[in-house]
């Protein structure tokens, strides 16, 4: 009963005793590398196809592919960071399967759990496709990582390779086919072996009859068992491998039982991962597929507005419209064009609906249709609106909140902070009509009531500060100026050099480092009545009162917000601030080089490894971060420190380089007070004679640690209308007592959870949140559940942020089919003088969900589709192309994302054609017969369905 699956093409650390994701050149391949290679390969294929379709040049990136190299080849260098982030996220979810589900054989294809393992993969594929369709790319990435793991394990843990297969088992990504002949429970599969003899320990009849089997596994020394005659996983920690038949069959590393087949297994795992990605690409379409991977045409960032729509806001809304128009007009078509536009209106009692669109016109129309009405008691649901935006925006976005009223939903403050920390999103507040202003500028705002008191503004300041954003307080007439200053800077290559706050205010000195790659060096200051002295690396200085100095090239001031444009000088700058009022200081610039990081935790389970935290890290004890650099393949991290946000205390970590440009950073102690993450690095470019660039970056977000720990899993899929429970557990290392529990979700689904749990110091308590998505929830909807635990006294809170997908049960497993109606060609020797055309009927069968999309995978003719006037279930396709473009491959996709492909080509002087779909891969005879018949007209190389054979 304790037997189960080993983790593994991965955790090679297990074998070397090294902790981490480490991988030295020449060593075995792990899940991390397999996943990255497959993603980079798939991305190159898609970008090449897009370039061909759009008639632009495509240059293959140098081998081995790197994130930056592929982003550049895709013409999307500005997406390097979000591409890197997406890949890391997928990989960490993949690796998590080994940590969270180490002993569940189904997740690793151990113990002949073939049907169960495939179910995890195929249900996950349905969820990924449904999420992509709703543009919920974060949810799609999460599930993708989770299902790549078992898919990859299959090739290491089963005897697929030993059976002589040269290609992946396509049936693992399909629901309606046979995986192969699986060994009966009672059928012996291995024989006893020792030493070299173990290379052939699988029984001859198993190999001959092409019977599938996989290894048994257990880590429990005395109680390990396995059915008679079955193979073991093998290796020192597998206790079943010393039970008759002794030995093992896994190919996890070169030193594994079947390590001589490691390379074959790993390469097949890469090919299988590529095939799964290809299927997801077909369902999504090329652009959305790239967006799932963090690559967009323009900026990877969102333009995200959360707007109070009550009566007094009518002028502000007009301002937002104008600013949005000017951003859109100046950025569309440039590399700063937002990848997505998000709008969330709020008032009281309502908020939402959230509008998320990639079409700037739809966004403008939505803004134009906002009307300012109601408002009543002058407190609005601003945090509910913000919560919705935080859960819908891509990570690392900037959100702008416009309001002139206090928050009515103040109890969401900690939830909003949790989401800010987890999504690393910067929130800026544009507050009009604060009492501070109205007292001083009453004449400007004669018609407005002063409605937002300083104490109410403080909540917004706290949230802005936690996220490293600005809380800008201006009059209604100043709003246009303030808004355009701050939104102008939303470029995707924006980096933070320094971010600090002092509340209460006090005189303090701050330093920041500017490197050769930084341009558009800008300082933001919010606060009232401050002065400063700026000192450049060469020792020049300039006072805030000095308008003619040489350091500041431009300065703008509106309300409590001042910006300075600096003349860039490389080296260490100093800013000496003097104020007795609270202030924030932020120094930003544009640079391709930036860093990404996650807090990670050493696995508590049987296998060493690191798991990414969806929570605050533990306070006062040691901890780890996984850091990677983006925008340079040669740069390295030299120092990482956790720096107290409101003081000068800092904890430096030990940096350990890992494979793939990752760095594991261990710190002795995570601070108990708020802190930021600061990174120093250097880049010695390959160019001879070029000097080494030394750079410094900082997280805009302020983080907190906690004495509470909270854990929960989000790998399940919700079915609408079916109650669903999320088990979680809470532990405290702080004082015991009644811990308050709050569970909130961004979709307002019904949920029940305990109001509090009694916890003793050092003990953990299990509980559950039960929820249910309404029956009419569209498939692919994602929702974010935040479970918070607040220690007695309210000083310390922790949370876990979980993202789930809601997916309707899928019963349609077959792709649409094509039926050729006519094909005409008069192709002659001079192809440019002649055309060919065809018409095709596409249907999804009586039981199918219907044809959703028909597109060209290959061929550059013109494609037209229409619904049959007499029958909506029939899609009519006509295609017309030059005879120089002699092949066409139509991609036909149904509403749940089953992808078929139909290939046609004219034959010289005749009307014969061949049509086939991906289904062919399950009908090798059909395919073979075509070859035999001499229909040599297919483009074998470009048809995925055929290369699979
Ligand atoms: C393993 O995971 C699958 C899929 O989540 C689940 O259905 C099954 O109950 C788990 N098995 C065990 C032994 O926990
Ligand atoms: C790269 O992707 C293509 C298309 O999906 C596939 O044919 C090829 O086998 C992949 N390469 C590797 C090394 O997996
Ligand atoms: C955790 O507990 C310690 C000791 O009780 C305390 O000093 C520290 O402030 C607590 N940390 C947080 C984040 O509450
Ligand atoms: C915790 O809550 C329970 C029930 O609400 C109450 O009976 C108990 O006294 C509380 N304990 C403490 C230490 O506050
Ligand atoms: C909580 O649940 C975990 C996992 O299901 C279990 O191992 C643990 O024993 C439970 N703890 C308590 C206190 O019930
Ligand atoms: Ca209002
Ligand atoms: Ca179908």
């Amino acid at each position: 009963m304790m037997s189960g699956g080993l983790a593994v093409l991965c955790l090679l650390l297990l074998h070397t005793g090294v902790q981490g994701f480490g991988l030295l050149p020449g060593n075995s391949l792990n899940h991390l590398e397999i996943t990255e290679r497959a993603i980079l390969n798939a991305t190159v294929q898609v970008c090449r196809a897009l370039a061909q379709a759009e008639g632009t040049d495509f240059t293959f990136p140098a081998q081995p592919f790197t994130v930056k190299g592929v982003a550049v080849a895709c013409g999307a260098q500005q997406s390097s960071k979000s591409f890197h982030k997406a890949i890391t996220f997928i990989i960490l979810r993949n690796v998590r399967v080994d940590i969270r589900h180490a002993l569940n054989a189904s997740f690793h294809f151990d113990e002949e759990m073939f049907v169960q393992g495939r179910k995890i993969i195929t249900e996950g594929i349905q969820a990924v496709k449904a999420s992509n369709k709703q543009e919920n790319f974060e949810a799609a990435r999460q599930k993708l990582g989770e299902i790549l793991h078992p898919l990859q394990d299959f090739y290491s843990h089963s005897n697929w390779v030993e059976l002589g297969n040269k290609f992946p088992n396509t049936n693992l990504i399909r629901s309606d086919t046979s995986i192969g002949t699986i060994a009966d429970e009672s059928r012996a599969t291995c024989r006893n072996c020792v030493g070299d003899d173990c290379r052939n320990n699988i029984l001859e009849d198993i190999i001959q009859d092409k019977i599938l089997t996989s290894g048994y596994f257990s880590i429990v020394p005395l109680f390990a068992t396995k059915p008679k005659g079955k193979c073991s996983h093998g290796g020192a920690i597998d206790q079943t491998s010393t039970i008759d038949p002794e030995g093992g069959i896994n190919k996890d590393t070169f030193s594994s039982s079947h390590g001589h087949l490691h390379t074959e297994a790993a390469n097949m795992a890469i090919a299988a991962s590529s095939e799964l990605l290809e299927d997801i690409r077909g369902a999504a379409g090329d652009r959305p597929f790239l967006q799932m991977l963090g690559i967009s045409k323009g900026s990877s960032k969102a333009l995200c507005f959360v707007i109070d729509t009550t009566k007094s806001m009518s002028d502000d809304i007009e301002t937002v419209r104008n600013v949005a128009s000017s951003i859109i007009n100046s950025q569309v078509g440039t590399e700063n064009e937002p990848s997505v536009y998000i709008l969330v209106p709020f008032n009281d009692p309502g908020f939402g609906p959230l509008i998320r669109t990639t079409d700037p016109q739809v966004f403008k129309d939505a803004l134009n249709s906002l009307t300012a009405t109601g408002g009543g008691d002058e407190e609005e649901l601003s945090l509910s609106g913000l919560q919705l935006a935080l859960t819908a925006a891509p990570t690392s976005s900037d959100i702008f909140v416009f309001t002139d009223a206090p928050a009515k939903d103040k109890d969401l403050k900690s939830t909003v902070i949790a989401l800010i920390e987890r999504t690393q999103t910067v929130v800026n507040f544009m507050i009009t009509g604060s009492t501070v202003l109205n007292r001083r500028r009453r004449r400007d705002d004669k018609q407005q009531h002063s409605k937002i008191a300083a104490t109410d503004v403080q909540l917004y300041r706290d949230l802005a500060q936690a996220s490293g954003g600005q809380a800008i307080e201006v009059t209604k007439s100043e709003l246009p100026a303030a808004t355009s200053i701050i939104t102008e800077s939303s470029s995707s290559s924006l980096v933070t050099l320094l971010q600090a706050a002092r509340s209460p205010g006090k005189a303090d000195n701050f330093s920041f480092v500017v490197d050769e790659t930084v341009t558009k060096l800008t300082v933001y200051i919010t606060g009232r009545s401050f002065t400063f002295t700026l000192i450049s690396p060469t020792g020049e200085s300039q006072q805030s009162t000095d308008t003619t100095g040489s350091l500041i090239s431009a300065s703008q001031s509106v309300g409590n917000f001042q910006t300075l444009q600096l003349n860039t000088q490389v080296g260490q700058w100093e800013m000496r601030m003097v104020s007795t009022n609270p202030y924030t200081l932020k120094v930003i610039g544009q640079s391709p080089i930036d860093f990404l990081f996650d807090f990670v935790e050493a696995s508590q389970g049987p296998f060493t490894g690191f798991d990414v935290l969806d929570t605050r890290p533990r306070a006062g004890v040691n901890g780890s971060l996984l850091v990677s650099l983006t925008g340079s393949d040669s740069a390295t991290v030299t120092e990482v420190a956790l720096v107290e946000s409101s003081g000068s205390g800092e904890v430096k970590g030990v940096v350990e380089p890992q494979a793939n440009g990752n760095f594991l950073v261990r710190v002795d102690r995570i601070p108990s007070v708020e802190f930021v993450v600061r990174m120093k690095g250097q880049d010695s470019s390959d160019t001879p004679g070029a000097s080494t660039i030394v750079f410094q970056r900082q997280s805009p977000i302020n983080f907190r640690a906690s004495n509470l720990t909270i854990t929960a899993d989000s790998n399940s899929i919700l079915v609408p209308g079916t109650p669903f429970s999320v088990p979680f557990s809470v532990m405290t290392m702080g004082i015991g007592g009644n811990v308050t529990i709050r569970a909130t979700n961004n979709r307002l689904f019904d949920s029940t959870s305990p109001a509090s749990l009694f916890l003793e110091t050092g003990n953990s308590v299990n509980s559950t949140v039960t929820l249910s998505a309404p029956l009419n929830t569209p498939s692919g909807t994602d929702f974010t559940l935040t479970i918070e635990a607040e220690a007695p006294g309210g000083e310390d809170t922790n949370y876990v942020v979980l993202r789930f997908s809601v997916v309707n049960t899928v019963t349609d497993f077959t792709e649409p089919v094509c039926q050729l109606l006519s094909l005409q060609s008069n192709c002659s020797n001079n192809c440019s003088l002649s055309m060919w055309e065809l018409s095709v009927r596409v249907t999804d069968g009586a039981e199918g969900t219907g044809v959703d999309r028909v597109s060209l995978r290959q061929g550059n003719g013109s494609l037209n589709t229409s619904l049959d006037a007499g029958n909506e279930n029939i899609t009519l396709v006509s295609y017309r192309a030059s005879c120089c473009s002699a092949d066409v491959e139509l991609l036909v996709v149904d509403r749940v994302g089953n992808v078929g492909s139909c290939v046609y080509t004219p034959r010289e002087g005749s009307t014969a054609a061949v049509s086939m779909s991906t289904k062919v891969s399950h009908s090798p005879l059909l395919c073979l017969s075509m070859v035999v018949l001499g229909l040599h007209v297919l483009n074998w190389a470009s048809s995925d369905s055929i290369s699979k054979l």
Side-chain angles (χ1 to χ4, degrees), residues 298-303 327-328 331-332 336-341 358:
S299 157
S300 52
K301 290 203 171 182
L303 182 63
I327 292 175
I328 290 167
Q331 293 182 343
V332 165
N336 286 331
E337 176 177 355
S339 61
V340 59
Y341 300 87
T358 49

Side-chain angles (χ1 to χ4, degrees), residues 308 310 312 375 380 404-405 451:
D308 182 339
T310 54
S312 56
E380 319 299 354
D404 62 359
K451 21 157 77 174

Side-chain angles (χ1 to χ4, degrees), residues 104 106-107 120:
N104 184 327
S106 306
F107 281 92
I120 292 173

Side-chain angles (χ1 to χ4, degrees), residues 192-501:
N192 240 351
C193 68
V194 269
D196 268 359
D197 180 35
C198 287
R199 293 163 77 110
N200 297 308
N201 58 344
I202 298 176
L203 295 177
E204 280 69 24
D205 62 310
I206 294 291
I207 304 281
Q208 218 141 50
D209 299 351
K210 298 231 171 284
I211 306 292
L212 270 178
T213 185
S214 65
Y216 279 72
F217 176 78
S218 173
I219 56 164
V220 185
L222 293 175
F223 303 99
T225 61
K226 65 177 175 184
K228 202 155 169 273
K230 290 294 185 186
C231 302
S232 282
H233 178 85
I237 67 161
D238 172 19
Q239 306 299 322
T240 73
S241 65
T242 50
I243 300 172
D244 185 12
E246 286 182 32
I249 64 165
N250 87 81
K251 294 155 282 292
D252 290 347
T253 70
F254 286 123
S255 54
S256 299
S257 309
H258 280 189
H260 61 291
L261 297 173
H262 168 74
T263 304
E264 255 178 286
N267 284 337
M268 212 158 342
I270 296 173
S273 304
S274 292
E275 189 181 71
L276 185 149
L277 289 166
E278 186 64 26
D279 182 46
I280 287 166
R281 166 197 176 186
D286 288 351
R287 283 284 169 209
F289 177 78
L290 289 181
Q291 262 186 289
M292 177 188 77
L293 295 175
I295 295 183
S296 31
K297 241 176 160 170
S299 157
S300 52
K301 290 203 171 182
L303 182 63
C304 184
F305 290 153
V306 179
I307 307 179
D308 182 339
T309 55
T310 54
K311 192 91 185 114
S312 56
M313 287 291 291
S314 48
D315 291 353
D316 302 44
I317 293 174
E318 194 51 38
T319 301
V320 176
R321 283 187 190 122
N322 294 335
V323 168
S325 279
S326 88
I327 292 175
I328 290 167
N329 296 343
S330 67
Q331 293 182 343
V332 165
T334 74
E335 65 170 34
N336 286 331
E337 176 177 355
S339 61
V340 59
Y341 300 87
I342 295 172
L343 177 65
V344 184
F346 66 87
N347 46 54
D348 180 25
F351 65 94
L354 173 125
I355 291 151
R356 185 170 58 180
T357 175
T358 49
D359 183 346
Q361 194 54 48
V362 171
F363 184 64
K364 279 188 187 177
D365 292 347
L367 274 171
N368 287 335
S369 65
L370 290 182
T371 49
T373 53
D377 58 2
E378 304 195 337
E379 283 192 336
E380 319 299 354
L381 298 175
S382 49
L383 301 194
S384 302
L386 177 54
Q387 182 193 15
L388 205 52
L390 280 164
T391 53
T395 55
S396 311
S397 291
D398 285 82
I399 293 178
F400 298 93
V401 182
F402 295 83
T403 187
D404 62 359
K408 187 168 197 171
D409 42 10
K410 297 184 179 66
D411 51 332
L412 279 178
K413 180 179 178 183
S414 57
T415 311
V416 165
I417 290 182
L419 292 170
I420 287 171
E421 288 177 7
R422 292 294 31 101
T423 61
Q424 301 195 12
T425 296
V426 175
V427 184
N428 297 291
F429 290 87
M430 312 300 290
I431 305 157
T432 54
S434 80
T435 48
V436 186
L437 287 169
N438 285 352
R439 232 177 285 126
R440 295 185 346 166
R441 311 221 184 177
R442 190 151 286 267
R443 238 165 305 149
D444 274 12
D445 272 304
K446 250 190 274 167
Q447 327 83 324
Q448 312 291 349
H449 333 267
S450 60
K451 21 157 77 174
I452 179 161
T455 47
D456 290 319
V457 172
Q458 191 58 41
L459 169 65
Y460 295 142
R461 284 193 199 126
D462 291 348
L463 295 175
Q465 194 183 317
S467 76
Q470 319 295 316
I472 297 176
E473 297 159 50
V474 289
T475 63
K476 293 200 179 272
S477 54
E478 289 166 335
L479 184 63
T483 307
S484 55
I485 298 171
I486 189 151
T487 50
E488 256 166 28
S489 64
S490 56
S491 135
S492 40
S493 57
L494 203 71
V495 296
T496 304
L497 303 181
L498 172 71
Q499 205 279 127

Side-chain angles (χ1 to χ4, degrees), residues 34 37-38 40-46 48 65 167-168 266-279 281 857 941-944 947-948:
I34 287 168
R37 287 191 192 182
L40 293 177
N41 177 47
T43 309
V44 168
Q45 306 287 334
V46 177
R48 189 181 59 150
F65 294 163
F167 295 100
N267 284 337
M268 212 158 342
I270 296 173
S273 304
S274 292
E275 189 181 71
L276 185 149
L277 289 166
E278 186 64 26
D279 182 46
R281 166 197 176 186
R857 170 56 56 89
S942 70
S943 164
D944 342 307
S947 54
K948 279 173 207 154

Side-chain angles (χ1 to χ4, degrees), residues 136 351 354 356 387-388 391-392 744-750 774 777 780-784 806:
N136 288 323
F351 65 94
L354 173 125
R356 185 170 58 180
Q387 182 193 15
L388 205 52
T391 53
T744 41
N745 71 80
N746 61 336
R747 303 268 176 202
L748 301 182
F749 291 161
D750 284 344
T777 311
T781 301
D782 71 343
F783 81 97
T784 305
V806 183

Side-chain angles (χ1 to χ4, degrees), residues 502-628:
R502 292 294 178 263
S503 178
K506 62 169 183 165
D508 215 335
N509 299 344
F510 303 90
S511 70
F512 56 95
V513 173
V514 176
D515 59 86
E516 288 85 343
T517 67
V518 174
T519 57
K520 299 203 176 162
L521 188 55
T522 306
V523 180
Y524 288 166
I525 307 167
T526 59
R528 298 196 181 274
S529 321
F530 56 83
T531 62
F532 60 80
T533 308
L534 187 63
I535 302 164
S536 81
T538 55
E540 281 170 86
S541 73
Q542 184 170 350
Q543 309 278 333
S544 43
T545 47
D546 175 3
T547 54
T548 59
S550 61
L551 301 183
I552 301 171
S553 61
S555 163
Q556 279 172 290
S557 181
V558 51
N560 67 337
F561 180 49
Q562 182 168 13
T563 65
L564 315 170
Q565 248 82 57
L566 306 188
N567 291 317
T568 309
Q569 269 184 34
V570 172
Q572 179 157 327
W573 291 66
E574 196 176 328
M575 183 79 165
R576 297 184 180 160
M577 291 286 298
V578 178
S579 180
T580 51
N581 290 316
Y583 60 88
T584 71
L585 174 67
K586 184 171 182 174
V587 184
I588 56 172
Q590 291 189 10
S591 165
I593 301 183
D594 204 2
F595 77 122
L596 303 171
F597 63 93
D598 286 290
F599 294 98
V600 295
E601 175 183 64
S603 157
Q604 308 293 311
F607 307 113
T608 46
F610 282 87
D611 192 13
V612 64
L613 287 175
D614 304 319
T615 68
R616 288 182 168 157
R618 254 187 67 194
V621 298
N622 60 19
S624 316
L625 293 88
L626 186 68
V627 177
S628 46

